[in-house]
Amino acid sequence: MTVQKTQVAIIGGGPSGLLLSQLLHRKGIDSIVLERQSRGYVLGRIRAGVLEHGFVNLMREAGCGERMDAEGEVHEGFYIAHQGRNDRIDLEKYADGATVMVYGQTEVTRDLYAARDAMDGVVIHEAANVQPHDLKSDSPYVTYEKDGSEHRIDCDFIVGADGFHGVSRKSIPGDVLKEYEKVYPFGWLGILSETKPVSPELIYARHERGFALCSMRSQVLSRYYIQVPLTDKPEDWSDDAFWAELKSRLPEDVAAGLETGPSIEKSIAPLRSFVAEPMRYGNLFLAGDAAHIVPPTGAKGLNSAASDIYYLYHGFMDHYLNGDSAGLDGYSEKALARVWKAERFSWWMTNLLHLFPDAQEVDQRLQCTDLDYLFSSDAAQASLAENYVGLPY
Ligand code: FAD
Ligand code: DHB
């Protein structure tokens, strides 16, 4: 067995793990990232598309903002289509000038890999059977297998940034960890197509046939979603059927301008609200999807992962550079306070815009009234806007 040594062992090479390792490296704090998949697999996943301004700043601080600033699109608002109308939320006006950046998670991850490579950061791919050990001791370690041999990493701390299905959360004893979970009775069928986006800004649509979202990755790459039953499979949906269903859920003038074309990706994501508490156990810290999941309505998944990383980054800096453990000691409480607010917002937006299979007429009327109220009230629009651009860290 080979033995390596580092300060922070990071399990998971998704955006959370890569961003943390990049930020720490720039402050002289050493880490090793262990990723179960190949780099190509990680980059092949199409996920989030909207970055809060706090995340944008963190990418810049990590030295990874150049391509994002050049190619990403700043969005000052978005639309909610409902009851035949297409009403706009003016983010800039209602969120004190704050905006969001449309730049795909795939591109974020690509930029983080490039930055790790440029600094000779250690990211070990195809690491099998990763296991954290001795979490309650001052000398925890991680074991893994690669190319048929066993390896061990001795470290001061372990960060579990290994997503919802990772090993880190599962290594916390059941009598310590409390999990809160709600699974929604539908999924999002998403497609990517090399077409011009139907609208310069995103459109979230509430419709009697179900929710739809018009998003984009660039002016030549569109991302569209429709709500589907959980029993549907991507192969049940031809491109033609997808476009027809999407059009039927959009206001007529919007649908008339929709450019269609072959899909280059098609997948279904289930919707879930999930939080695990606490986010620290001994010298293991959970971050991102390993600790919490939101339904995607409102684009808070990746952004909540980024705020965890912000708190951890500052906690590790305080510890290693100033000998102060207060940031790490307060991590779980601080991160969870913000996570729960993102959970609330995503749950609210999901309830506002989706068709629930068991919805009664009264539920539908209340959804419409909620939307009427939203667009009649500056206070309600300000509340939506401040959450959408991201609550302060
Ligand atoms: P992940 O991106 O899941 O990264 C975790 C990494 O850990 C992965 O690379 C995984 O391979 C690795 N790993 C797992 N287990 C192990 C192990 N045992 N050992 C080593 N490595 C391991 N958010 C939005 O805001 N908008 C969206 O449209 C959206 N769409 C989504 C669609 C899908 C299908 C999914 C799953 C998520 C989506 N999200 C979306 C959420 C967003 O992508 C996540 O919040 C974000 O990826 C979290 O980053 P992370 O680094 O914490 O976790
Ligand atoms: C995207 C996904 C979301 O969940 C969202 O709220 C906005 C955009 C996207 O993938 O583009």
Side-chain angles (χ1 to χ4, degrees):
M1 176 177 310
T2 65
V3 180
Q4 296 152 285
K5 208 167 166 32
T6 190
Q7 289 171 303
V8 184
I10 300 174
I11 306 178
S16 300
L18 294 172
L19 179 59
L20 180 63
S21 114
Q22 174 66 12
L23 287 163
L24 293 180
H25 200 157
R26 286 165 65 92
K27 298 291 174 188
I29 301 166
D30 190 52
S31 70
I32 295 177
V33 176
L34 286 172
E35 167 57 50
R36 180 168 60 183
Q37 306 286 358
S38 66
R39 183 182 291 210
Y41 183 95
V42 173
L43 287 172
R45 297 188 291 221
I46 310 293
R47 290 183 171 179
V50 177
L51 310 183
E52 293 175 355
H53 61 120
F55 189 174
V56 167
N57 287 335
L58 206 51
M59 284 290 283
R60 291 179 186 140
E61 184 163 350
C64 298
E66 207 173 305
R67 199 165 67 95
M68 174 187 74
D69 282 323
E71 296 177 17
E73 280 186 24
V74 173
H75 282 214
E76 294 164 359
F78 66 88
Y79 291 90
I80 297 184
H82 64 111
Q83 302 167 95
R85 302 202 294 275
N86 199 18
D87 285 331
R88 183 168 186 265
I89 296 287
D90 188 335
L91 294 173
E92 219 193 5
K93 172 177 164 191
Y94 285 114
D96 275 341
T99 55
V100 293
M101 175 83 83
V102 171
Y103 190 64
Q105 179 171 336
T106 314
E107 305 312 316
V108 167
T109 311
R110 200 182 297 282
D111 295 345
L112 288 168
Y113 273 134
R116 296 288 53 226
D117 290 348
M119 291 181 77
D120 290 328
V122 183
V123 182
I124 299 168
H125 282 95
E126 297 175 82
N129 200 16
V130 174
Q131 285 293 338
H133 301 272
D134 284 4
L135 302 176
K136 287 293 232 182
S137 85
D138 286 337
S139 43
Y141 63 99
V142 183
T143 54
Y144 66 98
E145 291 161 20
K146 169 119 179 138
D147 301 329
S149 43
E150 295 216 2
H151 305 270
R152 165 179 168 140
I153 302 174
D154 291 339
C155 55
D156 302 331
F157 300 102
I158 300 171
V159 171
D162 47 353
F164 183 65
H165 299 287
V167 65
S168 300
R169 188 180 68 252
K170 291 175 192 139
S171 65
I172 301 178
D175 59 345
V176 173
L177 199 71
K178 168 117 176 96
E179 297 185 340
Y180 299 82
E181 182 170 46
K182 179 182 176 74
V183 176
Y184 296 82
F186 39 73
W188 278 18
L189 170 64
I191 70 157
L192 201 57
S193 83
E194 287 166 331
T195 50
K196 184 174 160 53
V198 68
S199 160
E201 293 179 337
L202 272 64
I203 303 175
Y204 293 80
R206 178 204 174 271
H207 192 272
E208 294 76 54
R209 295 183 63 86
F211 170 80
L213 170 60
C214 305
S215 182
M216 67 198 73
R217 292 293 175 272
S218 71
Q219 282 309 305
V220 290
L221 193 57
S222 297
R223 179 75 166 154
Y224 295 107
Y225 299 95
I226 54 172
Q227 173 189 350
V228 294
L230 271 179
T231 43
D232 282 15
K233 302 266 168 297
E235 49 280 16
D236 299 337
W237 284 87
S238 67
D239 289 352
D240 286 348
F242 181 93
W243 292 119
E245 187 58 38
L246 175 64
K247 276 186 182 172
S248 77
R249 298 183 188 188
L250 298 176
E252 266 174 39
D253 56 330
V254 177
L258 182 71
E259 189 183 310
T260 63
S263 65
I264 55 170
E265 196 264 355
K266 196 184 280 163
S267 54
I268 294 183
L271 272 70
R272 184 194 308 269
S273 297
F274 174 86
V275 181
E277 293 184 342
M279 288 173 61
R280 176 185 190 172
Y281 176 70
N283 284 318
L284 169 72
F285 296 86
L286 299 181
D289 278 17
H292 43 79
I293 299 284
V294 289
T297 337
K300 289 286 161 252
L302 178 59
N303 289 304
S304 301
S307 64
D308 294 350
I309 296 308
Y310 176 89
Y311 296 131
L312 269 183
Y313 166 50
H314 284 266
F316 283 129
M317 273 200 295
D318 287 348
H319 173 82
Y320 283 112
L321 309 181
N322 308 323
D324 176 0
S325 69
L328 289 179
D329 290 342
Y331 168 69
S332 179
E333 201 179 328
K334 216 168 178 178
L336 282 166
R338 192 176 188 280
V339 160
W340 274 111
K341 289 180 190 135
E343 294 281 347
R344 181 208 69 83
F345 177 68
S346 311
W347 161 84
W348 172 74
M349 264 193 91
T350 302
N351 284 307
L352 180 68
L353 299 172
H354 288 75
L355 175 67
F356 283 73
D358 60 352
Q360 299 168 17
E361 232 177 321
V362 58
D363 298 306
Q364 313 253 24
R365 280 298 295 268
L366 286 168
Q367 272 185 338
C368 293
T369 307
D370 208 345
L371 284 158
D372 289 340
Y373 165 65
L374 175 66
F375 288 104
S376 69
S377 160
D378 284 337
Q381 286 169 76
S383 168
L384 171 50
E386 78 165 345
N387 280 279
Y388 195 86
V389 299
L391 295 174
Y393 287 169

